[in-house]
Amino acid sequence: MSTRSFFVGGNWKMNGNKETLSGMMVELNTAELHQHTEVVCAAPSIYLDFVRSGLDPRIGVAAQNCYKVSKGAFTGEISPDMIKDCGADWVVLGHSERRHVFGESDDLIGQKVAHALESGLRVIACIGEKLEEREAGTTEEVVYAQTQVIAENVNDWGKVVLAYEPVWAIGTGQTATPEQAQEVHEKLRAWLRANASDDVADSVRIIYGGSVTAANCRELASQGDVDGFLVGGASLKPEFVDIINARA
Ligand code: PGA
């Protein structure tokens, strides 16, 4: 078993309101969570302050996106400085919905990663292939290219968690098998060994996302290179606690 601490992120996406999020926060604050598992909830930006003040301090808070500069005439955007001002320490960048619904390019994601890290945020950097890319046998090529752009913009891997989220598994109920997840995670770690350093490869948490539930989390968590999860749908349900505690 690796020395990397288990990491579970909840990606609440554009869901919830003050009432329902309060309920989820009570659930988390009063649950028994494995002491050595790091937990971070990614809240809608308008609720960052609300969620930070309602969640127990042992649980981290993330924004789901940010822009690549600290301020200015960018209507509708939020900056890392604003996220930090709300007391949140993390940001999710490169999520597949940002890439494919909002058309964010690798370049833009790279610039966001660089600026978020410079500003002192920690980053959950997401990568993952689409179904047609998997079927065409280009999964490795795609995730390596996405990781490359992220890597070019990272100066401290200690502040980054890499989330492998196959697009075909997100919100579809079609989870990658533990073997499929392990295979890609292992390759990503080898990529980090070849392109960053042994130390980075050994220490960076590579987490899996895509239809993780209480029913499938334990088997996924037992894979040697799966260091945690990024959970969407199930992170707003009581079963999120079971997922956090997936690694015994
Ligand atoms: P899902 O979402 O768990 O609902 O598939 C995962 C994610 O988008 O991070």
Side-chain angles (χ1 to χ4, degrees), residues 4 10-11 22 45 52 70 73 81 89 131 135 143 145 163 165 174 176 189 196 199 201 204 212 231 234 239 247:
R4 297 179 293 273
N11 179 6
S22 292
S45 62
R52 181 60 288 168
S70 63
D81 286 344
D89 296 322
L131 182 60
E135 286 174 348
V143 298
E165 300 202 295
Q174 199 193 335
R189 205 174 299 288
D199 186 42
V204 169
V212 176
V231 186
E239 71 179 286
R247 180 162 285 173

Side-chain angles (χ1 to χ4, degrees), residues 2-246:
S2 81
T3 54
R4 297 179 293 273
S5 61
F6 207 63
F7 183 103
V8 178
N11 179 6
W12 292 347
K13 308 194 181 187
M14 196 178 75
N15 291 303
N17 54 35
K18 288 187 180 179
E19 192 186 335
T20 60
L21 295 181
S22 292
M24 194 61 217
M25 290 195 282
V26 169
E27 195 87 43
L28 288 170
N29 290 346
T30 54
E32 275 200 35
L33 307 180
H34 278 341
Q35 221 187 321
H36 300 298
T37 295
E38 190 170 359
V39 183
V40 173
C41 293
S45 62
I46 199 162
Y47 295 136
L48 279 174
D49 242 330
F50 176 72
V51 169
R52 181 60 288 168
S53 55
L55 266 185
D56 188 288
R58 73 196 158 134
I59 300 170
V61 174
Q64 299 171 9
N65 185 29
C66 69
Y67 199 48
K68 61 177 180 177
V69 295
S70 63
K71 62 179 175 168
F74 302 103
T75 304
E77 293 293 321
I78 61 168
S79 73
D81 286 344
M82 294 168 180
I83 294 167
K84 287 200 313 178
D85 200 28
C86 291
D89 296 322
W90 289 87
V91 63
V92 177
L93 290 172
H95 189 275
S96 82
E97 285 141 24
R98 298 303 319 173
R99 292 176 187 271
H100 304 303
V101 180
F102 299 100
E104 290 193 10
S105 65
D106 270 329
D107 262 7
L108 176 60
I109 293 160
Q111 289 168 35
K112 289 181 175 193
V113 168
H115 180 63
L117 291 171
E118 272 161 25
S119 307
L121 282 180
R122 292 168 183 268
V123 173
I124 300 169
C126 306
I127 58 170
E129 82 286 1
K130 295 191 268 192
L131 182 60
E132 57 267 34
E133 293 165 335
R134 175 161 282 262
E135 286 174 348
T138 58
T139 298
E140 272 175 62
E141 204 180 299
V142 169
V143 298
Y144 290 165
Q146 291 169 337
T147 308
Q148 169 77 43
V149 179
I150 290 162
E152 283 163 7
N153 289 284
V154 171
N155 52 12
D156 180 358
W157 278 100
K159 304 267 164 57
V160 180
V161 168
L162 195 58
Y164 169 59
E165 300 202 295
V167 180
W168 48 270
I170 296 179
T172 58
Q174 199 193 335
T175 323
T177 64
E179 295 73 27
Q180 283 173 322
Q182 169 61 22
E183 190 189 359
V184 178
H185 285 224
E186 198 178 327
K187 286 180 174 158
L188 286 168
R189 205 174 299 288
W191 189 94
L192 290 171
R193 198 171 300 286
N195 294 278
S197 68
D198 281 339
D199 186 42
V200 167
D202 291 335
S203 59
V204 169
R205 270 92 52 95
I206 306 177
I207 63 174
Y208 168 80
S211 299
V212 176
T213 64
N216 60 30
C217 63
R218 275 167 216 282
E219 226 192 320
L220 284 160
S222 71
Q223 305 298 309
D225 289 291
V226 174
D227 304 316
F229 302 118
L230 187 55
V231 186
S235 69
L236 282 161
K237 300 179 188 160
E239 71 179 286
F240 188 44
V241 171
D242 297 322
I243 300 173
I244 291 169
N245 293 335

